[in-house]
Amino acid sequence: MTKSRKTAGLLPAAMAIVMVLILTMTGCSRTAQTAPAPPKIASRSSAAGFLVSKAEESGGFIGIPVLREKASEYAYLYDNALAVIIMSRAGEQSTAEMIADAIVFAQSHDRTFKDGRLRNVYIAGDPRSDSGRTLTPGNVTIRLPGFWEDGKWQEELFTVSTSTGNMAWAVTALCAAAENASDEKRTEYLNAAMNAADFVLTLKSDNGGFNAGYEGWDDDQTMVGYQSTEHNIALAYAFDALSAAVAGSDPAKAEAYADAAKYAKDFVFSMYDKKLHCFYTGTKADGKTVSDGVIPLDTNSLSILAFGEELENTFQIVSFVEDRMAVGDGFDFSAGDLDGIWNEGTAQMAVCYKILENTEKYETVMAYLKTQTNADGCIPAADRDGVSTGFVIDGTDTLWEYDNTLSIGATCWLAFAQLGINPFTPLSK
């Protein structure tokens, strides 16, 4: 699940707690009977059909249940941003706007922060509904996910924190939704995207790239010291997309975002190992030392998708991934123990093969992904339980792992693969 939920070496402990709690939804059970997905998009992509169906059912954020009594469904910002991009590119504009509206509301009705940041996780559904907001005299704020325990509402550290990578995907999603929106909606989405981008600009590191975000409870959040390659890949595209979108209305902002895009991209390229032909995960907590102990798949697959012909050794990068991470017809999360298949990254590789016009390998990977796909179009995070990433939970010796449970992020990347869409291709406006 990334999705920009991955850190550059250490994962917040709360993240693992959330992931352990993720339960296979009724909609992703191998035996569950579900209503058919909307035929318009489902005929082209079963995964996109599932996403549209879930968005229309929720009226806003798409979420997944957790294995706790009296708990809300968790809607990850990254997952929902990907869904907006898919729907926008596939002609499902009204559904894309449904989620984009939820993102805008979440940003403008945070209970504490008014600086453009977005939280990592929200409650599934329409945040403007009574169940999605908190009403106090003269103030409306969005509720954050959690669970009731011992008569108290409990939240988790990762969910209330802010990841730079998630912010990047949200900016891209808002730009995508704005592309075909009405003039009024376009202005609303681009204003929200600029607010988010301006917040990220405050995370600029003197060592190159942008820091990974903020962690902590509302009254004690601190900036994370490392820079993530994955985050900066997403930022390079997000800043470029926003720069193009506002060039006509705000040239000064457009120039600032274009400069930020280059700054993020320069950091990404600084993480490239010319001998191994791979991109490292980023820096360690000091913001300077390269974190080279674990080499993830997505820093490489996303670099191929984002930078394309700018890469001098694209096929050598692909060969590195194939040699170090292939498991059967899929791919593990990182160059490590090869203990299982990470479906999200495998779908990313399918998109890579598609844009590189390697039809044989694309079809081979898609055939594997089909074995993982439920009848309603969703897909689990991994082909089995306990697929390790190579990273550990902050402050512990416990591995961060993926299980064979529903992943909206993996389903989104399956949709990209089925539709032949590279989310890093330039927007038309």
Side-chain angles (χ1 to χ4, degrees):
M1 298 208 158
T2 150
K3 341 223 163 249
S4 293
R5 283 172 279 201
K6 174 172 62 60
T7 68
L10 295 177
L11 186 72
M15 177 58 189
I17 295 173
V18 172
M19 296 185 72
V20 169
L21 296 176
I22 293 174
L23 176 66
T24 304
M25 287 180 65
T26 300
C28 205
S29 168
R30 298 293 179 187
T31 59
Q33 298 297 317
T34 60
K40 179 181 176 182
I41 188 65
S43 63
R44 298 165 54 200
S45 165
S46 61
F50 171 83
L51 296 168
V52 170
S53 177
K54 293 303 295 181
E56 292 181 347
E57 177 186 320
S58 74
F61 286 125
I62 302 172
I64 51 179
V66 295
L67 189 58
R68 281 185 184 271
E69 292 185 4
K70 300 180 180 180
S72 58
E73 288 195 354
Y74 282 52
Y76 290 90
L77 179 62
Y78 167 81
D79 295 348
N80 281 271
L82 288 182
V84 171
I85 298 167
I86 292 163
M87 294 167 192
S88 298
R89 297 291 182 91
E92 295 287 339
Q93 182 67 17
S94 62
T95 315
E97 291 188 13
M98 191 180 301
I99 301 177
D101 289 345
I103 294 174
V104 172
F105 183 89
Q107 182 190 60
S108 59
H109 291 83
D110 192 271
R111 67 192 182 191
T112 302
F113 303 111
K114 311 301 178 185
D115 54 8
R117 78 180 71 186
L118 290 156
R119 310 285 185 148
N120 289 330
V121 192
Y122 292 101
I123 293 176
D126 183 356
R128 296 162 296 187
S129 68
D130 289 342
S131 63
R133 60 183 179 171
T134 298
L135 298 176
T136 57
N139 191 29
V140 177
T141 59
I142 188 170
R143 291 179 60 217
L144 297 179
F147 51 93
W148 287 101
E149 187 174 83
D150 299 328
K152 296 181 180 180
W153 182 252
Q154 308 286 342
E155 295 176 343
E156 296 173 276
L157 194 66
F158 174 79
T159 64
V160 303
S161 299
T162 295
S163 162
T164 303
N166 294 338
M167 293 287 289
W169 283 105
V171 169
T172 297
L174 291 166
C175 289
E179 186 179 15
N180 295 309
S182 66
D183 289 344
E184 181 180 359
K185 283 285 190 179
R186 176 179 171 82
T187 299
E188 182 181 6
Y189 294 152
L190 291 182
N191 283 341
M194 287 191 287
N195 290 336
D198 289 347
F199 170 78
V200 174
L201 289 176
T202 68
L203 295 169
K204 184 177 180 180
S205 169
D206 292 338
N207 300 318
F210 293 83
N211 288 345
Y214 278 84
E215 289 181 353
W217 306 110
D218 290 16
D219 57 353
D220 191 32
Q221 289 207 347
T222 57
M223 186 184 297
V224 179
Y226 67 84
Q227 299 89 50
S228 162
T229 304
E230 178 204 359
H231 292 188
N232 280 274
I233 293 168
L235 282 175
Y237 178 80
F239 278 130
D240 260 341
L242 184 56
S243 176
V246 304
S249 59
D250 196 335
K253 280 282 191 182
E255 182 177 358
Y257 297 144
D259 290 343
K262 184 179 184 304
Y263 197 74
K265 183 169 73 173
D266 287 347
F267 172 79
V268 174
F269 277 74
S270 75
M271 290 295 110
Y272 184 68
D273 187 309
K274 295 182 179 179
K275 293 182 179 179
L276 292 178
H277 303 297
C278 67
F279 287 89
Y280 290 122
T281 189
T283 71
K284 294 183 179 181
D286 61 8
K288 298 178 181 179
T289 308
V290 174
S291 178
D292 57 5
V294 177
I295 303 176
L297 186 153
D298 58 4
T299 57
N300 295 281
S301 56
L302 296 183
S303 291
I304 293 170
L305 297 177
F307 305 120
E309 295 180 357
E310 295 182 63
L311 299 175
E312 296 179 359
N313 303 304
T314 301
F315 291 99
Q316 289 175 302
I317 297 171
V318 172
S319 294
F320 175 87
V321 170
E322 291 174 340
D323 292 343
R324 302 288 191 94
M325 304 180 204
V327 178
D329 292 329
F331 297 89
D332 201 350
F333 183 94
S334 59
D337 53 21
L338 304 182
D339 61 351
I341 298 176
W342 180 42
N343 287 332
E344 179 179 334
T346 298
Q348 291 174 4
M349 287 302 297
V351 181
C352 289
Y353 288 135
K354 184 73 172 181
I355 67 170
L356 294 174
E357 299 182 346
N358 191 327
T359 303
E360 181 179 355
K361 289 185 177 179
Y362 169 76
E363 291 180 348
T364 297
V365 174
M366 292 304 292
Y368 157 74
L369 290 170
K370 188 174 182 179
T371 69
Q372 293 290 292
T373 307
N374 189 56
D376 60 8
C378 68
I379 193 169
D383 69 330
R384 68 200 74 182
D385 288 340
V387 175
S388 64
T389 64
F391 293 101
V392 297
I393 302 168
D394 191 10
T396 76
D397 295 325
T398 305
L399 289 176
W400 168 26
E401 299 177 333
Y402 284 103
D403 291 329
N404 184 239
T405 53
L406 169 63
S407 169
I408 299 296
T411 302
C412 287
W413 277 101
L414 176 61
F416 285 130
Q418 290 174 339
L419 294 167
I421 293 175
N422 176 3
F424 293 102
T425 52
L427 299 170
S428 61
K429 293 184 181 180

